[in-house]
Amino acid sequence: MEILQQTDEYYMKLAIEQAKQAEQLGEVPIGAVIVQHGEVIAVAHNLREIEQRAVAHAELLAIDKACQHTGFWRLNDAVLYVTLEPCAMCSGAIVLSRIARVVYGASDPKGGCAGTLMNLLQEEQFNHQADVTAGVLRDECGQMLTNFFQNLRRQRS
């Protein structure tokens, strides 16, 4: 079977679909997709509110699924697509799982650790660094989050 190489935009759209699933559940709409050798090996979205677990971020759930899929904790040659810039916790997991590249949509001015507040993914003191591509479908990813929080504020007032 031939594996078709897709674009960053293609995989980010898959992550956006995951984010939309999270939003339907009342979760912050963040989605993640992990691709290795041209194959989608894991998809996930935020489940923090439903599961009441601080670690149920889309990236961590996707990394866990990818490790289960491959049977290995090292995700060499894998690319993580995520709709929002990873936080410190998720960036740590990305480094520790050896993900080769991270592509994210919207920057996170309050918690982004892939270039906004700091860049843990390319910190030379760590034994692994990931390439980072920021801003893929930025407007679509950012607008989804803006709309979500505006609706949440309206519901609370």
Side-chain angles (χ1 to χ4, degrees), residues 32 44 54-65 89-94:
V55 298
H57 286 205
E59 301 96 319
L60 294 181
L61 297 171
I63 288 169
D64 193 45
K65 288 179 182 180
M89 175 177 64
C90 293
S91 293
I94 290 163

Side-chain angles (χ1 to χ4, degrees), residues 10 17 25 30-32 34 40-41 52 65 67 90 107 110 125 133 138 144-145 157:
Y10 172 83
E17 288 305 312
L25 298 171
I30 301 170
I34 298 180
V40 174
I41 61 170
Q52 289 298 300
K65 288 179 182 180
C67 291
C90 293
S107 296
K110 294 181 180 179
Q125 293 182 73
T133 302
R138 171 188 302 127
M144 197 170 25
L145 288 158
S157 51

Side-chain angles (χ1 to χ4, degrees), residues 21-54:
Q21 288 182 36
E23 185 172 25
Q24 290 172 352
L25 298 171
E27 293 282 348
V28 176
I30 301 170
V33 172
I34 298 180
V35 178
Q36 191 175 46
H37 308 297
E39 176 190 359
V40 174
I41 61 170
V43 298
H45 53 268
N46 269 13
L47 290 174
R48 190 170 61 172
E49 295 300 324
I50 287 173
E51 295 185 359
Q52 289 298 300
R53 292 186 316 124

Side-chain angles (χ1 to χ4, degrees), residues 38-124:
E39 176 190 359
V40 174
I41 61 170
V43 298
H45 53 268
N46 269 13
L47 290 174
R48 190 170 61 172
E49 295 300 324
I50 287 173
E51 295 185 359
Q52 289 298 300
R53 292 186 316 124
V55 298
H57 286 205
E59 301 96 319
L60 294 181
L61 297 171
I63 288 169
D64 193 45
K65 288 179 182 180
C67 291
Q68 289 174 25
H69 175 83
T70 63
F72 202 51
W73 65 267
R74 286 185 186 93
L75 298 174
N76 298 327
D77 304 319
V79 181
L80 168 67
Y81 293 86
V82 61
T83 56
L84 182 67
E85 180 181 4
C87 68
M89 175 177 64
C90 293
S91 293
I94 290 163
V95 169
L96 292 172
S97 63
R98 312 294 197 271
I99 288 176
R101 182 170 173 242
V102 174
V103 179
Y104 69 85
S107 296
D108 184 353
K110 294 181 180 179
C113 290
T116 299
L117 296 179
M118 62 186 67
N119 191 344
L120 294 176
L121 298 180
Q122 295 179 322
E123 174 54 56
E124 292 182 6

